[in-house]
Amino acid sequence: MTRLTDDMVKDLPESLGRISDMLIKTTGMDIKQLACKATGLNPALIDMGAYRAGVIPITSGMGIIRRFSESIADTLIELGMDAFVTDGTDVTGFAEALSADADVILMADDIQYISYNTRARKYANNSFCTAAGYVAALDGAAGGLKGKEVLVIGAGRVGTHATRILFNMGANIKIADIDKIRSKSLSEKYRNAVCCPDIEKAISEADLILNASPATIPGSVIKEGSIISTPGIPHIFDEEGRRKATIIHDPLAIGTAVMAVQSASFSLKQNEEDLE
Ligand code: 2YG
């Protein structure tokens, strides 16, 4: 899994509004509506303001990414949650979040990024939630995916989750990965999925792309008018690619928003007025 860098998240807090504007423009949904769509929840039924979220900086492995935790907290606040970053890291931070009676606790090491619901004792994980968020964005931008052909680039954790979600939505799936064995084995799991050995050819023919790979896609191979929903990091598209395609991307906020809504929904706190 590709690791974010300080540089990728440093501007995230200021750009949350721009990300929501981009989502409204390309998908018709703001980040909360997108997160609810990705988790199959009616936005009116979940009161995110009723949830306290603790974010814990984790020092294991390659250590802390500067502003990673703060960017997550800012995204949760954008969703209306009572979110904070713990002063302590690791176990100390976990104890602090529990003492603050947090409903959900978010933390990431170099392998997993999760949102743990302390009431339901269940967690949401970033790989699934990122896939669900970016498929929902593609669905919104394309006006529905049922019966449409979608190219999934990258048969890793996010691409694999995305393929299953797309299959359940009735999309016709093409799968491309530099590892031909990986793309072939993934395509064989779904009867309407096709493995594409020639990635560039597949991209050049694709109207709808879910890019869950670290690949740099040159604009010269991108089809005019295509829609590319791309959680992949690093995120590099040249000027030709940005002109030819509608590109949906952010480094962290969309996956985080889906994790927050999904983990909160494990102990649903409905809007008071909706209960009357
Ligand atoms: O707490 C910290 O600052 C660090 N332990 C965070 C390390 C995160 C490593 N993981 C990644 O950079 C990405 N997999 C996060 C999710 C990317 C968005 N899909």
Side-chain angles (χ1 to χ4, degrees), residues 201-241:
K201 180 173 177 294
I203 293 171
S204 68
E205 295 165 351
D207 294 309
L208 301 173
I209 297 177
L210 192 292
N211 175 42
S213 80
T216 299
I217 303 173
S220 55
V221 300
I222 291 174
K223 188 174 178 185
E224 187 79 39
S226 57
I227 303 172
I228 307 177
S229 187
T230 175
I233 40 177
H235 174 70
I236 303 162
F237 283 83
D238 59 29
E239 190 281 327
E240 184 183 2

Side-chain angles (χ1 to χ4, degrees), residues 1-4 57-58 63-65 68 108-110 113 126 130 251:
M1 175 176 59
T2 315
R3 181 181 158 99
L4 290 172
I58 302 296
I64 282 173
I65 297 172
F68 177 82
D109 62 16
D110 292 347
Y113 168 21
N126 180 260
T130 296

Side-chain angles (χ1 to χ4, degrees), residues 31-32 47-53 73-83:
I31 194 162
K32 182 184 174 187
D47 176 10
M48 295 302 279
Y51 291 85
R52 172 166 298 166
D74 288 332
T75 304
L76 303 177
I77 290 164
E78 177 87 4
L79 292 172
M81 298 179 97
D82 167 13

Side-chain angles (χ1 to χ4, degrees), residues 176-273:
D177 189 299
I178 47 163
D179 179 337
K180 307 292 176 228
I181 296 168
R182 207 157 72 149
S183 53
K184 192 163 178 343
S185 73
L186 180 55
S187 64
E188 283 166 355
K189 287 186 184 150
Y190 300 96
R191 72 178 119 74
N192 65 344
V194 172
C195 172
C196 302
D198 182 338
I199 298 180
E200 279 209 2
K201 180 173 177 294
I203 293 171
S204 68
E205 295 165 351
D207 294 309
L208 301 173
I209 297 177
L210 192 292
N211 175 42
S213 80
T216 299
I217 303 173
S220 55
V221 300
I222 291 174
K223 188 174 178 185
E224 187 79 39
S226 57
I227 303 172
I228 307 177
S229 187
T230 175
I233 40 177
H235 174 70
I236 303 162
F237 283 83
D238 59 29
E239 190 281 327
E240 184 183 2
R242 290 197 301 273
R243 178 178 50 74
K244 288 162 89 174
T246 298
I247 296 175
I248 300 166
H249 174 77
D250 96 283
L252 186 55
I254 291 172
T256 295
V258 179
M259 289 167 75
V261 169
Q262 188 189 45
S263 58
S265 73
F266 294 148
S267 58
L268 202 54
K269 294 186 178 186
Q270 305 209 349
N271 283 328
E272 300 320 316
E273 58 273 13

Side-chain angles (χ1 to χ4, degrees), residues 57-70:
I58 302 296
T59 62
S60 68
M62 293 175 69
I64 282 173
I65 297 172
R66 206 152 43 80
R67 296 204 55 70
F68 177 82
S69 296
E70 291 76 7

